[in-house]
Each structure stands twice: as structure tokens, then as C-alpha cells.
Amino acid sequence: MELELRQEKVRGWESVCRLALEQEESGEMIVPDACPDIWQVLDGEARLFLQRKEPQEGRGEFSGLLKTTILYQPEGEQGIRSMEVTLPFSASPELKGLTRRSILHVIPRVLSVDVHLLNPRKVLVRVGYCLSIEGFSPQTQSLATAVEEAEDRGIYQKIGEVQSYQTVYVQEKTFTYQDAVVLPAGRPDPAELLRTRAHCTCTEARVIGSKLVFKGEAILQLLCRGEDGGLFTGEFHLPYSQIMDAGEDSEEGMCHMDLLFTDVKCTPSSEDRRTFQVELAVQAQAVLRREVTASILMDLYSTDYTLQPEETTCPVLHLLGQGEEQENAREMMETEAISGNLLDVQVRLGRASQNQEGEDWVLTQEVELVVLYDTAEGVAAGHQRASVQHRLSGQGAGTCTFTTELLREPTASPMGEGVEVSFPLAFHWISLQQQEIPVIGRVMLGEKREEKERMPSVTLRAVRPGEDLWTVAKAYLTTDQEILEASGLTSEEIFPGQMLLIPRKSS
């Protein structure tokens, strides 16, 4: 006969799949009739807007746009011009474990942009990009905590607690930010908006009741051409504050937030050319984790019946560490002779990777440095790729995941025959270790014990290595309390070689 077990249900979310999907899109673009011929391409910068992500059974559906802004020197004219090439993309990767009830979190990143001039009126654009995908599915884990009516069958139980650093809630929210920004008084009047760049940060996220309150700022950077043909930039910090559902029992949790743009629009005002109308479509992706404690039935025996317990395992996650570490990077770029100003400097984050060295993790973030500057012959551009590494000591026992973020815009200054670019890069990381804990999953009640199966009324023996009081009591079908009283002990702590007086359990 199978015994009825009392169950405790632990609800949460499980990370069922991870994938770094790398793809490339390419396309040809004819220069619009209103634009002059291209003499030289200076730079191409792509922005990835993920506009659709849907979980299916065993796969995910993704689509969006790659918008590449090309800066070029026109043929026979002074100054810089720009044009935009839009490439649609889609992907349908296999993601085992995913269901329609799952939630997909994605960190999109452009890895490379190549703009090849086919002729003065046509360009070929190739954009490599990566979607770092993680799928979460709701789960309910049922754990046996005790046998019902245990005393009626002479059953003694060892009930313990298990702690797991669990994902308790996964949520997302899309919101739109609209505002008007005005170039500061020190900037000239713009003749053309050449390029728009934006990124979003979260400075605070905390749970209040069943709501997650998060806030931060969107940083908008504009590259403009003045009426004199010169280039200048404008930077704007746009604060936001939002609320989303956090689920039940999430108030004590730690929140990790990723923000991505699904669209960015910046349009010069028809009434004032120094004013720009801004519309940012943002998706916030939140993961809440906290330490969860649950009771489990670890072992049992009966002094009256034989039992046939069946063990199973309970997966638990242990938090080894988490944090934010900063690396202050400096890179030298070789350039042409600089005769004027540094016009613009960028650090574009590319591919991220990690490898284990002993008990350490080495986290690597690839970057591309881009500088626009004046020379005697006009505006020139410098490009250089580099890697920034961060070492996590003593975290190699588990698995490590991380994201990176530029803490502020890079700075650049001419140095000898080049430019030194400095930038602070933050590594946000978490290290977890999974363990399988043995627990009782099912118990069959056997035959009633015969008198001849019972032990002598009293046994004297020494404690063996590895034994605890529960183990001794189970072996002799008695209780730890009976052993303590017979041996005159007040502590349940016993040690090898210690003599115990073990009585038969009182009827």
C-alpha cells in the first residue's frame, strides 16, 4: 500500500534554454536622388530594433529591423552627408524546453557593420548581429514534507529544509517615451541631423508590495552638420519612471533588469530647427530572484512495519556570488595627422564571451572604437577593435553569466601619432551552482514486523565514523530520544568511538 504524503508546492520560473544566435543580413542600397554621389564612406553604424519575439513549442520566433546610418563624403562637395539603409531580419531557432507559456528575454547586439562602395550611387551593406536569448517557463515543484498519520504506523521521519536561489518571477513591459529636446545655446544651428544614437539604463529597481518600480534614464546623442559644414554633437539625458507587476512573494527578491529599444525616432521640428521631437519605444525585461526555503522529507523508518521508500532528487541552485565590477579601459588608435578637432568618439559593444581558468572565470567583451576627426584634407574616421577582460576569482565552481554596460561616454585625446580613447566598462555578473538533493518521493507500506525481527532490549556499542544519532536510531528501530535518555546525554551531537546505550523502543 502506498502511503499518503503531505506535499508542499514551490512555484517559480525555470530557465529552460539559452542561446547566442549569430546571423548576418546584407543588402544593396541606391543613393536617393536628393543625395549627392558618394566619394568616400567614413562610417557605418547599425541599430538593432527587435520588434517581435514569440515563444512557440520548441522554438522561438524573432523579427525586427537593422537600421544602418552611413556617413560619407560627397563627391565634389564639402562637409559630411548621411543616408540610412534598413534591413529586415527574422529568425526561428530551435529552443528545446520552450512552450507557448514561456517568456523570452533577449539582449540584441550588433557585432559588425561593413559598408562597401559598389559605385558612386550604390552601396552594399552587411550587418552581423547576435541575439542572446534566454527562455523562462513557469514551474510548480511538489515536495513531500511528511507522511500522513505517521504515528499510527510507528513511523519516524527526518524532515529538513532546502534552500534554493530561485527565479520567483519573470515579467516584461513595453513603454514609450516622448519629449522635445533643444540644442544648447553653445551649439550652432543644424543644417542636417546626420545620426541618432540612444541607449537606456536602469539606475534603480525595487519591489513594493506586488509592484516593481524601476527608473533610470535614456541617453540620446545627436550628430549634426552645421550650416558651415562642421560637425557637432548634442547629448540629452531623459529620465523615466515605470511600474510593472512583480507577482506575489517577490518583495524580498533581487531584480535584474535589461532594457532594449524597439524603435527610436528623432525628427527636427518644423517650427524650430534647434528643436527635435523624440519618441523612444522601450521594452523592459525583469527577472526577480530570491532565496527560497522549503521543507523536505529526507528519510524515514517504522518500528512497526517494513517500509519501501523511493528516493528522487530535488534540484537546487546556490548563489556563489553576484556583483558589478568596473574596468577602466584605455586604447591607442593610430590615425592620420589630426589638424583640427576630434568630432565624435564611440565605443560599440560587440561579442561577449567567457572561459574558465581553474577556479576563475575570465569575462571578455569585444569593442569597436570609432573616432571622427579633422585633417588637412577634410573629415576622416578611425576604426579599431579591442577586447576588455575582467577576471572573477574563486567563482569557477558554478556557471557564470554576465552583461556589460558603458558607464559613461568615452573620452578621446590626441596622443603622438594617434588618439587615446578611455572608457569605463561595467561587468554585471552572477555565478550559480546547481546541486541535486536526495529526497523521499514515494513510500510503500510493507508487512508488520514480527517479534523476532526486533532488536535485544538493550545494546551497548560504539559510534562508527559517519554516523549521527538518526542513523543509529534507524538501524536499531528505536528513537533518538530513547538513546539520549538511556545514555544520559543531553546533546544530539555524537562522535566516533563514543559508547551509546541503545534500548529497544518502548511499546
PDB file of all heavy atoms in Angstrom, residues 410-429:
ATOM      1  N   PRO A 410      32.666  57.622 -23.819  1.00  0.00           N
ATOM      2  CA  PRO A 410      34.125  57.606 -23.861  1.00  0.00           C
ATOM      3  C   PRO A 410      34.695  58.998 -24.082  1.00  0.00           C
ATOM      4  O   PRO A 410      34.022  59.903 -24.585  1.00  0.00           O
ATOM      5  CB  PRO A 410      34.435  56.684 -25.040  1.00  0.00           C
ATOM      6  CG  PRO A 410      33.227  56.785 -25.919  1.00  0.00           C
ATOM      7  CD  PRO A 410      32.060  56.959 -24.993  1.00  0.00           C
ATOM      8  N   THR A 411      35.948  59.153 -23.711  1.00  0.00           N
ATOM      9  CA  THR A 411      36.677  60.387 -23.978  1.00  0.00           C
ATOM     10  C   THR A 411      37.869  60.047 -24.857  1.00  0.00           C
ATOM     11  O   THR A 411      38.370  58.916 -24.847  1.00  0.00           O
ATOM     12  CB  THR A 411      37.158  61.053 -22.681  1.00  0.00           C
ATOM     13  OG1 THR A 411      38.002  60.130 -21.960  1.00  0.00           O
ATOM     14  CG2 THR A 411      35.969  61.425 -21.793  1.00  0.00           C
ATOM     15  N   ALA A 412      38.325  61.031 -25.616  1.00  0.00           N
ATOM     16  CA  ALA A 412      39.455  60.813 -26.520  1.00  0.00           C
ATOM     17  C   ALA A 412      40.317  62.062 -26.552  1.00  0.00           C
ATOM     18  O   ALA A 412      39.820  63.194 -26.426  1.00  0.00           O
ATOM     19  CB  ALA A 412      38.964  60.461 -27.923  1.00  0.00           C
ATOM     20  N   SER A 413      41.615  61.864 -26.732  1.00  0.00           N
ATOM     21  CA  SER A 413      42.543  62.984 -26.843  1.00  0.00           C
ATOM     22  C   SER A 413      43.698  62.577 -27.744  1.00  0.00           C
ATOM     23  O   SER A 413      44.146  61.428 -27.717  1.00  0.00           O
ATOM     24  CB  SER A 413      43.072  63.403 -25.459  1.00  0.00           C
ATOM     25  OG  SER A 413      43.691  62.293 -24.824  1.00  0.00           O
ATOM     26  N   PRO A 414      44.175  63.518 -28.600  1.00  0.00           N
ATOM     27  CA  PRO A 414      45.313  63.211 -29.475  1.00  0.00           C
ATOM     28  C   PRO A 414      46.555  62.889 -28.645  1.00  0.00           C
ATOM     29  O   PRO A 414      46.863  63.572 -27.661  1.00  0.00           O
ATOM     30  CB  PRO A 414      45.497  64.493 -30.293  1.00  0.00           C
ATOM     31  CG  PRO A 414      44.184  65.212 -30.192  1.00  0.00           C
ATOM     32  CD  PRO A 414      43.642  64.874 -28.840  1.00  0.00           C
ATOM     33  N   MET A 415      47.267  61.851 -29.061  1.00  0.00           N
ATOM     34  CA  MET A 415      48.495  61.426 -28.380  1.00  0.00           C
ATOM     35  C   MET A 415      49.495  60.998 -29.444  1.00  0.00           C
ATOM     36  O   MET A 415      49.355  59.918 -30.035  1.00  0.00           O
ATOM     37  CB  MET A 415      48.216  60.261 -27.428  1.00  0.00           C
ATOM     38  CG  MET A 415      47.261  60.574 -26.296  1.00  0.00           C
ATOM     39  SD  MET A 415      48.016  61.540 -24.968  1.00  0.00           S
ATOM     40  CE  MET A 415      49.068  60.291 -24.235  1.00  0.00           C
ATOM     41  N   GLY A 416      50.511  61.837 -29.707  1.00  0.00           N
ATOM     42  CA  GLY A 416      51.521  61.479 -30.693  1.00  0.00           C
ATOM     43  C   GLY A 416      50.907  61.327 -32.071  1.00  0.00           C
ATOM     44  O   GLY A 416      50.305  62.255 -32.615  1.00  0.00           O
ATOM     45  N   GLU A 417      51.031  60.117 -32.648  1.00  0.00           N
ATOM     46  CA  GLU A 417      50.505  59.855 -33.985  1.00  0.00           C
ATOM     47  C   GLU A 417      49.159  59.132 -33.934  1.00  0.00           C
ATOM     48  O   GLU A 417      48.820  58.376 -34.841  1.00  0.00           O
ATOM     49  CB  GLU A 417      51.512  59.025 -34.782  1.00  0.00           C
ATOM     50  CG  GLU A 417      52.833  59.728 -35.017  1.00  0.00           C
ATOM     51  CD  GLU A 417      53.777  58.895 -35.853  1.00  0.00           C
ATOM     52  OE1 GLU A 417      53.447  57.730 -36.129  1.00  0.00           O
ATOM     53  OE2 GLU A 417      54.832  59.421 -36.235  1.00  0.00           O
ATOM     54  N   GLY A 418      48.414  59.375 -32.890  1.00  0.00           N
ATOM     55  CA  GLY A 418      47.133  58.709 -32.789  1.00  0.00           C
ATOM     56  C   GLY A 418      46.222  59.383 -31.783  1.00  0.00           C
ATOM     57  O   GLY A 418      46.385  60.555 -31.427  1.00  0.00           O
ATOM     58  N   VAL A 419      45.263  58.598 -31.317  1.00  0.00           N
ATOM     59  CA  VAL A 419      44.264  59.073 -30.363  1.00  0.00           C
ATOM     60  C   VAL A 419      44.151  58.057 -29.242  1.00  0.00           C
ATOM     61  O   VAL A 419      44.079  56.837 -29.493  1.00  0.00           O
ATOM     62  CB  VAL A 419      42.889  59.254 -31.047  1.00  0.00           C
ATOM     63  CG1 VAL A 419      41.818  59.613 -30.025  1.00  0.00           C
ATOM     64  CG2 VAL A 419      42.958  60.310 -32.131  1.00  0.00           C
ATOM     65  N   GLU A 420      44.150  58.529 -28.006  1.00  0.00           N
ATOM     66  CA  GLU A 420      43.911  57.649 -26.868  1.00  0.00           C
ATOM     67  C   GLU A 420      42.437  57.738 -26.482  1.00  0.00           C
ATOM     68  O   GLU A 420      41.923  58.820 -26.209  1.00  0.00           O
ATOM     69  CB  GLU A 420      44.779  58.026 -25.675  1.00  0.00           C
ATOM     70  CG  GLU A 420      44.595  57.065 -24.497  1.00  0.00           C
ATOM     71  CD  GLU A 420      45.400  57.476 -23.276  1.00  0.00           C
ATOM     72  OE1 GLU A 420      45.068  58.530 -22.692  1.00  0.00           O
ATOM     73  OE2 GLU A 420      46.337  56.751 -22.912  1.00  0.00           O
ATOM     74  N   VAL A 421      41.772  56.585 -26.466  1.00  0.00           N
ATOM     75  CA  VAL A 421      40.354  56.508 -26.120  1.00  0.00           C
ATOM     76  C   VAL A 421      40.231  55.849 -24.746  1.00  0.00           C
ATOM     77  O   VAL A 421      40.802  54.769 -24.517  1.00  0.00           O
ATOM     78  CB  VAL A 421      39.556  55.708 -27.167  1.00  0.00           C
ATOM     79  CG1 VAL A 421      38.079  55.638 -26.777  1.00  0.00           C
ATOM     80  CG2 VAL A 421      39.707  56.329 -28.546  1.00  0.00           C
ATOM     81  N   SER A 422      39.507  56.488 -23.846  1.00  0.00           N
ATOM     82  CA  SER A 422      39.301  55.963 -22.490  1.00  0.00           C
ATOM     83  C   SER A 422      37.813  55.781 -22.249  1.00  0.00           C
ATOM     84  O   SER A 422      37.000  56.625 -22.635  1.00  0.00           O
ATOM     85  CB  SER A 422      39.879  56.922 -21.436  1.00  0.00           C
ATOM     86  OG  SER A 422      41.249  57.169 -21.676  1.00  0.00           O
ATOM     87  N   PHE A 423      37.480  54.675 -21.581  1.00  0.00           N
ATOM     88  CA  PHE A 423      36.069  54.428 -21.286  1.00  0.00           C
ATOM     89  C   PHE A 423      35.951  53.445 -20.120  1.00  0.00           C
ATOM     90  O   PHE A 423      36.733  52.515 -19.999  1.00  0.00           O
ATOM     91  CB  PHE A 423      35.337  53.872 -22.517  1.00  0.00           C
ATOM     92  CG  PHE A 423      35.947  52.625 -23.090  1.00  0.00           C
ATOM     93  CD1 PHE A 423      35.461  51.368 -22.749  1.00  0.00           C
ATOM     94  CD2 PHE A 423      37.007  52.703 -23.975  1.00  0.00           C
ATOM     95  CE1 PHE A 423      36.017  50.222 -23.276  1.00  0.00           C
ATOM     96  CE2 PHE A 423      37.577  51.566 -24.517  1.00  0.00           C
ATOM     97  CZ  PHE A 423      37.077  50.323 -24.167  1.00  0.00           C
ATOM     98  N   PRO A 424      34.959  53.663 -19.232  1.00  0.00           N
ATOM     99  CA  PRO A 424      34.694  52.729 -18.132  1.00  0.00           C
ATOM    100  C   PRO A 424      33.628  51.719 -18.539  1.00  0.00           C
ATOM    101  O   PRO A 424      32.561  52.091 -19.023  1.00  0.00           O
ATOM    102  CB  PRO A 424      34.197  53.639 -17.009  1.00  0.00           C
ATOM    103  CG  PRO A 424      33.537  54.779 -17.728  1.00  0.00           C
ATOM    104  CD  PRO A 424      34.197  54.922 -19.076  1.00  0.00           C
ATOM    105  N   LEU A 425      33.928  50.442 -18.344  1.00  0.00           N
ATOM    106  CA  LEU A 425      33.010  49.371 -18.727  1.00  0.00           C
ATOM    107  C   LEU A 425      32.630  48.587 -17.477  1.00  0.00           C
ATOM    108  O   LEU A 425      33.500  48.141 -16.722  1.00  0.00           O
ATOM    109  CB  LEU A 425      33.680  48.455 -19.748  1.00  0.00           C
ATOM    110  CG  LEU A 425      32.805  47.422 -20.448  1.00  0.00           C
ATOM    111  CD1 LEU A 425      31.732  48.109 -21.278  1.00  0.00           C
ATOM    112  CD2 LEU A 425      33.653  46.515 -21.334  1.00  0.00           C
ATOM    113  N   ALA A 426      31.326  48.437 -17.248  1.00  0.00           N
ATOM    114  CA  ALA A 426      30.830  47.692 -16.090  1.00  0.00           C
ATOM    115  C   ALA A 426      30.475  46.270 -16.502  1.00  0.00           C
ATOM    116  O   ALA A 426      29.814  46.064 -17.520  1.00  0.00           O
ATOM    117  CB  ALA A 426      29.616  48.376 -15.474  1.00  0.00           C
ATOM    118  N   PHE A 427      30.921  45.299 -15.701  1.00  0.00           N
ATOM    119  CA  PHE A 427      30.564  43.898 -15.887  1.00  0.00           C
ATOM    120  C   PHE A 427      29.554  43.526 -14.792  1.00  0.00           C
ATOM    121  O   PHE A 427      29.896  43.515 -13.609  1.00  0.00           O
ATOM    122  CB  PHE A 427      31.796  42.997 -15.770  1.00  0.00           C
ATOM    123  CG  PHE A 427      32.738  43.079 -16.940  1.00  0.00           C
ATOM    124  CD1 PHE A 427      33.604  44.159 -17.079  1.00  0.00           C
ATOM    125  CD2 PHE A 427      32.764  42.079 -17.906  1.00  0.00           C
ATOM    126  CE1 PHE A 427      34.480  44.249 -18.152  1.00  0.00           C
ATOM    127  CE2 PHE A 427      33.632  42.154 -18.985  1.00  0.00           C
ATOM    128  CZ  PHE A 427      34.497  43.242 -19.104  1.00  0.00           C
ATOM    129  N   HIS A 428      28.314  43.237 -15.179  1.00  0.00           N
ATOM    130  CA  HIS A 428      27.293  42.774 -14.238  1.00  0.00           C
ATOM    131  C   HIS A 428      27.258  41.243 -14.321  1.00  0.00           C
ATOM    132  O   HIS A 428      26.957  40.691 -15.382  1.00  0.00           O
ATOM    133  CB  HIS A 428      25.918  43.353 -14.595  1.00  0.00           C
ATOM    134  CG  HIS A 428      25.890  44.845 -14.682  1.00  0.00           C
ATOM    135  ND1 HIS A 428      25.721  45.646 -13.576  1.00  0.00           N
ATOM    136  CD2 HIS A 428      26.004  45.683 -15.748  1.00  0.00           C
ATOM    137  CE1 HIS A 428      25.736  46.908 -13.952  1.00  0.00           C
ATOM    138  NE2 HIS A 428      25.907  46.966 -15.268  1.00  0.00           N
ATOM    139  N   TRP A 429      27.531  40.552 -13.213  1.00  0.00           N
ATOM    140  CA  TRP A 429      27.675  39.099 -13.287  1.00  0.00           C
ATOM    141  C   TRP A 429      26.945  38.411 -12.140  1.00  0.00           C
ATOM    142  O   TRP A 429      26.669  39.006 -11.088  1.00  0.00           O
ATOM    143  CB  TRP A 429      29.156  38.706 -13.251  1.00  0.00           C
ATOM    144  CG  TRP A 429      29.869  39.157 -11.997  1.00  0.00           C
ATOM    145  CD1 TRP A 429      30.444  40.372 -11.780  1.00  0.00           C
ATOM    146  CD2 TRP A 429      30.042  38.410 -10.794  1.00  0.00           C
ATOM    147  NE1 TRP A 429      30.966  40.429 -10.510  1.00  0.00           N
ATOM    148  CE2 TRP A 429      30.736  39.233  -9.884  1.00  0.00           C
ATOM    149  CE3 TRP A 429      29.681  37.120 -10.398  1.00  0.00           C
ATOM    150  CZ2 TRP A 429      31.084  38.803  -8.599  1.00  0.00           C
ATOM    151  CZ3 TRP A 429      30.018  36.697  -9.122  1.00  0.00           C
ATOM    152  CH2 TRP A 429      30.710  37.529  -8.246  1.00  0.00           C
TER     153      TRP A 429
END
